Amino acid sequence: MNLVVNGDAETGPGGSAEPVPKVAGWEVREGAPALIPYTLGGGYPGPDDPGPTDRGSRFFSGGNSVRTALVQDIALPVRGRTGRRAVDAGQVRYTVAAWLGGYGTQEDGARLSVEFRDDRGTPVALSVLGPVTAAERLSRTALVERTATATVPPGARTARVLLVLTRNGGASNDGYADAISLTLATGGRT
């Protein structure tokens, strides 16, 4: 089960290139993101551009801010196969995944990080995905899948998911992201 709420940009206001002040499930910490439909055109990723095969109708964009940051704090399960006892015994693995990208030859990009924290909020581990460079996208407007899998550190109680979309040139922040997920599993399964 994906622990990230609205990791696919499908819920809440948006649906154009216009920035939105709020994104369902996320706290907008900096900038103003846009939730852009794949059918918008105008150089944005479209349904036929590289990206998730099971994409929905929208994706995250950095809007017109130089830097846009969205945060989500997730409480890890207390009970069950992925609960605290299993975490503290080193039996729980996580997989963080996202499709990250940008526009053409520009180096605007998206970076996703997951920081695991103990019950005092002290960071105990970090995973970072991206950004995907223009060369990695073959200088195309595209989203590319990135994943990381590792053991949830013993003592972890929360996970802070941070999506940062950065403009390195041009007038728009063309850092793009979609299909953001964080899953937990025991026994080598995620």
Side-chain angles (χ1 to χ4, degrees):
M1 176 173 85
N2 186 3
L3 299 176
V4 176
V5 175
N6 195 25
D8 56 8
E10 297 297 310
T11 305
S16 72
E18 293 300 316
V20 294
K22 295 182 181 182
V23 177
W26 296 85
E27 177 185 341
V28 178
R29 286 276 175 93
E30 188 176 347
L35 307 180
I36 298 181
Y38 279 104
T39 57
L40 186 62
Y44 290 106
D48 298 325
D49 289 315
T53 55
D54 59 349
R55 70 187 84 190
S57 63
R58 304 190 305 192
F59 60 92
F60 295 97
S61 169
N64 55 16
S65 304
V66 172
R67 185 174 190 267
T68 296
L70 295 96
V71 174
Q72 198 169 126
D73 287 315
I74 300 167
L76 300 181
V78 176
R79 295 186 175 88
R81 295 181 331 154
T82 58
R84 289 183 177 176
R85 285 187 190 167
V87 165
D88 292 345
Q91 299 172 341
V92 179
R93 293 189 58 78
Y94 70 90
T95 297
V96 58
W99 286 77
L100 307 173
Y103 175 75
T105 59
Q106 291 183 1
E107 290 296 341
D108 295 6
R111 186 183 76 237
L112 181 73
S113 63
V114 176
E115 181 180 76
F116 289 94
R117 296 175 172 206
D118 66 15
D119 57 358
R120 293 182 307 272
T122 304
V124 294
L126 177 69
S127 278
V128 179
L129 305 177
V132 174
T133 66
E136 292 171 311
R137 292 184 276 105
L138 305 175
S139 295
R140 294 183 62 187
T141 299
L143 290 103
V144 178
E145 185 176 30
R146 293 291 186 250
T147 63
T149 300
T151 300
V152 176
R157 298 298 180 256
T158 62
R160 172 165 283 180
V161 177
L162 172 64
L163 175 63
V164 177
L165 307 153
T166 305
R167 180 177 76 201
N168 287 315
S172 297
N173 183 336
D174 293 309
Y176 306 137
D178 198 2
I180 298 167
S181 67
L182 174 64
T183 57
L184 305 179
T186 56
R189 295 174 50 198
T190 56

